[in-house]
Amino acid sequence: MKIAPARYSFFLIALSLVTLFGCGKDPEPLKPIGGGQNPGGTLEYSVIGVKDISMERVGEATMQVNVERVSGDKNTEIQLLVADLPPGMKAYIDVQKSAPSFISFVTISSERVLEGSYKLSLVSSAKNAVKSVPFVVKVLPYTNHSQGVKGEYIETHKCSADGEKTVTVTIIPDQSIENKVIMRGFWSGTQINEVVAFIEPASHTITIPEQTLYDVTYKGSGTYTDDQITVNYSAKTQIFDETCTAVLNRKK
């Protein structure tokens, strides 16, 4: 039997539809690409591991933060920063910017920050979103208060015979006796001249017990804060007898 051209075209179309969809079957739904994670599109991610930390007034603490991609663009970079840092507190982030997923170690350090609890935030930003995760840093008292006066100072003193003079003094904590410090360069500016002193944290006073170094006998007392020491002292030898007033300001 000969089929007319128009009917022949209709027959081919019908046959194609049956072949494509099958007989009596619904078409299978399309599956997501990449096992359910869209490799393109808007990036979705999570920040895990942010927690409360604590440290002494001079100290540091570190936390591990995981930035994990949930879905979306694999190439979008995420940047991390710590917000709301008080004066004297710093943050170091070893991996500050990267495409997820990645691990970053966040270190918070304190340089004589006053005792108390401070609310900070770890902020992450991508081109389509900004997230902020809060955490608390608790600053604790010193275990050894001599750590609080450790550092380099400029001593300006006025002495009865020698007049006014400026020298550099380095203060270091004693490693074996609590609240004992070594004042290198005190009065003379010579770093091998190590004058011993003791601090009293409750009253913020400092005492230089009588001691003789290189034929000079020292003795004195005064007060201290985080950044300044004021002390009245004597420096005596067989040749001279100096009475001095000194102010030591911490180098910034």
Side-chain angles (χ1 to χ4, degrees), residues 13 19 29 42 46-47 70 72 80 103 110 115 119 136-137 152 166 168 180 186 216 234:
I13 292 171
T19 303
T42 302
S46 60
V47 179
V70 176
L80 301 177
I103 294 174
S110 170
E115 297 166 27
K119 294 180 179 179
V136 173
V137 176
E152 196 170 33
T166 299
T168 298
K180 177 183 177 182
F186 184 75
V216 181
S234 61

Side-chain angles (χ1 to χ4, degrees), residues 155 181 183 186 195-200 203-211 217-225 228-235 242-248:
E155 175 191 344
V181 296
M183 306 173 74
F186 184 75
V195 175
V196 171
F198 292 87
I199 62 171
E200 175 49 59
S203 58
H204 280 263
T205 55
I206 184 168
T207 301
I208 300 172
E210 186 171 312
Q211 58 200 281
T217 300
Y218 302 92
K219 185 178 181 180
S221 62
T223 59
Y224 72 92
T225 64
Q228 188 179 82
I229 300 171
T230 302
V231 61
N232 297 310
Y233 64 95
S234 61
E242 289 268 45
T243 301
C244 306
T245 298
V247 177
L248 289 76

Side-chain angles (χ1 to χ4, degrees), residues 49-55 61-63 108 117-120 133-138:
V50 180
K51 61 182 181 180
D52 296 345
I53 54 178
S54 62
M55 67 197 71
T62 300
M63 57 184 168
I108 307 296
S117 296
Y118 298 86
K119 294 180 179 179
L120 279 61
V133 183
F135 64 100
V136 173
V137 176
K138 189 173 183 180

Side-chain angles (χ1 to χ4, degrees), residues 57 85-90 109-113:
R57 292 191 62 200
L85 289 162
M89 193 173 286
K90 295 180 181 179
S109 65
S110 170
E111 189 65 30
R112 294 180 300 281
V113 176

Side-chain angles (χ1 to χ4, degrees), residues 55-58 140-148 178-179 201:
M55 67 197 71
E56 292 187 13
R57 292 191 62 200
V58 175
L140 306 172
Y142 296 115
T143 302
N144 182 357
H145 286 269
S146 60
Q147 291 289 339
E178 187 176 351
N179 298 333

Side-chain angles (χ1 to χ4, degrees), residues 10 16 24 49 53 55 93 101 106 146 182 196 200 212 225 237 241:
F10 176 81
S16 298
I53 54 178
M55 67 197 71
I93 303 173
S101 297
V106 179
S146 60
I182 311 298
V196 171
E200 175 49 59
T212 301
T225 64
T237 69
D241 184 353

